[in-house]
């Protein structure tokens, strides 16, 4: 159930049954010569919708621009500064907590968001306590990184081995191919792809990863694999969400 | 052309032709007993995509949660604080300006965003000048409010007269019905709808507008009218965008 | 009644009768070759004092430096960033709301302040609700732009027609001439004055409006006209203030 | 010379001769049962104007609301938070430094502003260096507290001895009586006035200083004494300003 | 070599040889009934000094109060908000980067700091690029969590098995016993210790972990084990630091 | 009693007797060719510990990096911006006030911190009142600058006369020699040392104080004098702390 396709009385009814909600968060950043700039947001959004359907959970709109400062040397990349993103996350949770939501399940499509999400949760728990909101201390956030679900990770390794890499991976590209078959891109990909270098600033990143990929071979991706990965992610995250709801 | 469905080399190519880009911004807020919470974001996003297609312009992801603090007494409404939204807008523009974009056309679906957008533009122009970015002084932002397009306004008045109201209007509801026919909602709407009271804080708003509508009768809306309004908006905003690009 | 010329026991007495207060806000920015840099603050302050006298309202000190970043390429212009101005406005309202003031009538002399004022009001209503101040939800802000009062606008059009322009206008210059006849300035004004170009950053503004005027001919101004305009503004805004007080 | 009564070309001319400018800063806060709420701003503004006339220096508008959080338990007091005031001061200096001003002489009427002024100067020097403004390292700020001028202090002690106190003092009240004889207030003042207790939060302040005075007897003030004190302050600060200009 | 025991000319000399520096960061928070509140800072500081000695690296003062908001329901715990800590980290790096330091090795004693450190690094890399500092893009930060060093982790598991737990662990307590034998504390520790519950807000944390321990049995700790763990950490982190310096 | 060497139950016990706490704050900045970069933090920390022992007061960890922006042109200096330091101080006090501490005695080793400390206290008192913390209005902060203790000042003048100067003074250097005899430095010190010039930005400071000293001759310092000065400071500040505790 998408929050955007409901009315406020429907949300009121929903809240009488559940205080859980799913918030997708992605990124808008280069994904190599063939990966879509929206890859992380596209995957998070689709998987969150699937998870919402499977669990009758409400799903908010996706935070599509995340923390991608290290990708900023490639055209089309967009990023919030971590300090901005903390405030966005705080405002999202605070808005929803005022209505009575207490269990926030974040479905994340981008590794670069994880640290800022965690920092923001800590900042927000304290903020809500300051506000003297009733039961503020029951607000809980959990992050579900779809690409780190056990079943997803296992299949990706089976399908792609070392060529999965860590950015612009065939697995995330496959999911976008499944979702947007009309937007499958072709470009020459050198076999000799950089890997293993840590992430610092944007100029440094581009110097070490000149075409944007990190150890990956996205040309291995197919839409069919994307469907498989998508379904595994939805299944895993649905279980995680339900466990999270039941946690006392 | 959606930024999310392009690759970074495609953006690089685009930039050799144009420095213009379209950024949709909406809101996530109550729209009365039958209007979708996503109305403002849905309309802005669809009209921005249409405008992008008509003008070969790149379209970024939509800012779906805007400035809706006055709607916060209704379940499901979400809002950024103006100070947060200013930073989001500043980060969006700064990200894109670094790549060479200079003409930012904001397609807006929510009256409550306008003040903060303008404040953010001023803040950002000064910030970019501080950064010593080349040609920072050529960065320009323009807002196109689809619901204030002349042709849209005229048709809305013809179709709905005074029952257009100013929030949860039949015209915006009609556009969402056209775009999401599967999400058309029914609910009893009292004929006696509040109107004309200014907007202050959230509790005060709900006291004066108890079901969320402001002088509107959204039950007049039909998907067909939505299509008409959508097409007029796309046409008008396409012209505005092209004029904006050509402005020297 | 000027807050600055009262004592705290007098304010206490005032509050037992009224929770209304007038806050003037202007700007410190170039007004063309002959307009005073203080024009917007001078007009707002004088008209606010007149309105306060006519309505027995308390008047706070004037915010004299407002949002004028686009004028910063002309010597003598000063500006707060919008983010700073939001905090100033929030601190003003919060200070006064703690004492029991609830109706804040802002008399504004500068178009460039309007967006930031509105953004700040929204930010502040939410902030006051967070503070759990008693009756925080009764705090209301209204802006009275003296130059947009119907009677003022009408007279300006009669007197100056198209030469009123939109910045460094003869009407605002006339009001300053009435108030400071000793500071009437003379300088050659080319007939060929730029107009119609939108406002972006400071360098761009000066490129398009090289002497600072926007379509105006301030040489038409006389002190007598200034007196007329001043009196119309005071009358209109006094009515607006009293209506605002009576609004329930 | 008041910045508000000049035009931008006049400022341009001024800058070819001098890079010095005077900025008055006061406060809006209770000054006991008979002292004006605007005392600190009124004194700072008048003395700054006098100093500007004596030295041909440009004088900006006065910051009338300063750091007075400890006075907030008395009706009519207004305050910026220190963090807001730092940004205001930073924006003032940055605005003027862009035009070429380098010597900022702050004429201050309120002890509570001093710490925040100093903190703001340090923040601003570093900010200007960050901006790569030409000669940013020549920007200098100096504070002249009129009430701490040697000659003023000496006369106050002669006239009032211990009854000068440290807030709502007869000397500052006398200056306001000289400037606003029409606003001289009368009220019973108990002889037994609190003194010597440090300043912490607002509620604590009022508990210890129930009528707002700190050890002072403002009933000793006369307008004639005010004139003397005013003239001494202007003379002392004029000398200070000129020395500051000449400092290499 | 401790930065605090050097002079500025000595730092100048050091910089002609190396641009590396070690920054210890800990926390000030409850560590169960017997663990020291300073545990995380004490361990980080001592291990950083040892690492500095082993590698001839300069070591800055320790950030002793970190991100420990979830421990705030226990007396004596202190915390920076993540947004504050981001600014502290940014100011530390920026200060040192201005002098020419480029390789920042953070020796961390507290898991709760990791997310905020990463967020701060991203914020700072972008900030330094904005400042146009020469070679700003060569600034690199790496975190060495002493408790996650392979050799440390292995020994802790050997010594304590499952009773190592995840907070107020015997391994960290042992290190403090080695460093401060005079401050070894005794208190009854129930065998039935909570574990496995995620970390949310402070009140929730205390509800689930009533004595502050998370699955640990710190009564197993001895000073001798502490010495072993300390030495392993120094050895591992010295290697990491040298590798980090040599990374191109 | 050092907070870092206590457990949370010990702090709980302490709070049943006292709500006072000592917080040392120093700086990390150049202290001339022979003074230690850690001088101000070293002195504040040691004197705070001594004071804590003499009065049975709890002592928090030291804020070792303070406000030293004006020293940033010398290698090794570190500084927080005042706006960052305000937040650090606010977070320290807020953390401890939540546990019940009410009397905060700051032992300061650096003149450059004083203004920001005062600004931060005002910001924090208001913040705590906003939080509706019980008895928030009883929170009190007092600063004890060890170098301004009467007995210390008197001895320094006796020992060093005019050669005490105002930065990198023999008295503070002597205290560090007493505490760290192994880190006594030698370097040629020209007799002709700059003095009397005010403090502005960092580049300006270094231009006027090329070796970092301000009018001082630290070569006069001996460890024995340091011991004397240390003991006088501890005695004076112990008295101040006890008076502060007893103040009602
Ligand atoms: Ni990705
Ligand atoms: Ni709408
Ligand atoms: Ni104007
Ligand atoms: Ni005063
Ligand atoms: Ni620990
Ligand atoms: Ni020192």
């Amino acid at each position: 159930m998408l929050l955007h396709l409901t009315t406020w009385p429907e949300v009121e009814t929903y809240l009488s049954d559940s205080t859980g909600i799913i918030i997708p968060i992605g990124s808008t950043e280069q994904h190599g010569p063939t990966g879509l700039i929206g890859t992380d947001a596209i995957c998070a959004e689709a998987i969150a919708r699937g998870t919402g359907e499977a669990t009758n959970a409400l799903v908010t709109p996706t935070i599509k621009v995340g923390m991608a400062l290290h990708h900023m040397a490639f055209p089309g990349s967009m990023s919030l500064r971590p300090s901005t993103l903390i405030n966005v996350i705080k405002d999202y949770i605070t808005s929803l907590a005022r209505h009575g939501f207490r269990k926030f399940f974040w479905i994340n499509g981008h590794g670069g968001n994880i640290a800022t999400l965690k920092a923001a949760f800590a900042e927000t728990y304290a903020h809500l306590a300051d506000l003297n909101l009733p039961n503020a201390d029951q607000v809980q956030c959990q992050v579900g990184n779809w690409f780190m679900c056990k079943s997803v990770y296992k299949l990706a390794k089976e399908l792609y081995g070392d060529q999965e890499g860590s950015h612009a991976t065939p697995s995330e590209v496959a999911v976008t191919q499944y979702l947007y078959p009309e937007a499958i891109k072709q470009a020459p990909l050198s076999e000799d792809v950089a890997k293993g270098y840590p992430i610092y600033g944007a100029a440094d990143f581009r110097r070490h990863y000149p075409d944007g990929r990190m150890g990956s071979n996205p040309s291995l991706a197919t839409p069919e694999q994307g469907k498989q990965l998508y379904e595994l992610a939805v299944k895993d995250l649905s279980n995680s969400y339900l466990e999270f709801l039941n946690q006392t």
Side-chain angles (χ1 to χ4, degrees), chain A residues 178-200:
Chain A
Y178 162 55
L179 296 165
Y180 291 94
E182 72 277 21
I184 298 178
K185 310 288 168 122
Q186 305 296 343
L189 290 173
S190 78
E191 269 185 49
D192 183 26
V193 59
K195 66 180 163 184
Y197 185 79
I199 293 174
Y200 306 113

Side-chain angles (χ1 to χ4, degrees), chain A residues 9-10 12 21 26 30 55 60 91 93 105 125 149 153-154 166 178 183 202-203 212 218 222 231 244:
Chain A
E10 289 171 346
E12 196 164 61
I21 196 160
Q30 69 83 15
T55 61
T60 72
D91 286 0
I93 300 173
F105 191 69
Y125 296 137
C149 291
Y153 189 82
K154 189 161 160 284
S166 55
Y178 162 55
T222 70
E231 284 168 356
F244 176 51

Side-chain angles (χ1 to χ4, degrees), chain A residues 208-229:
Chain A
H208 285 86
Y209 297 108
D211 76 356
R213 292 177 298 150
M214 299 176 77
S216 67
N217 182 0
S219 70
L220 302 176
T222 70
E224 295 69 29
Q225 296 162 350
K227 181 166 189 289
Q228 281 181 283
L229 291 159

Side-chain angles (χ1 to χ4, degrees), chain A residues 1-7 10-11 21 57-61 96 101:
Chain A
M1 196 168 21
L2 299 183
L3 176 62
H4 264 206
L5 297 186
T6 63
T7 64
E10 289 171 346
V11 176
I21 196 160
L58 208 51
V59 181
T60 72
L96 294 165
F101 290 98

Side-chain angles (χ1 to χ4, degrees), chain A residues 125-141:
Chain A
Y125 296 137
H127 174 67
L128 294 175
D130 283 355
L131 291 182
N132 298 318
L133 208 71
N135 303 324
D137 60 337
Q138 292 174 9
V139 169
Q140 299 178 339
C141 292

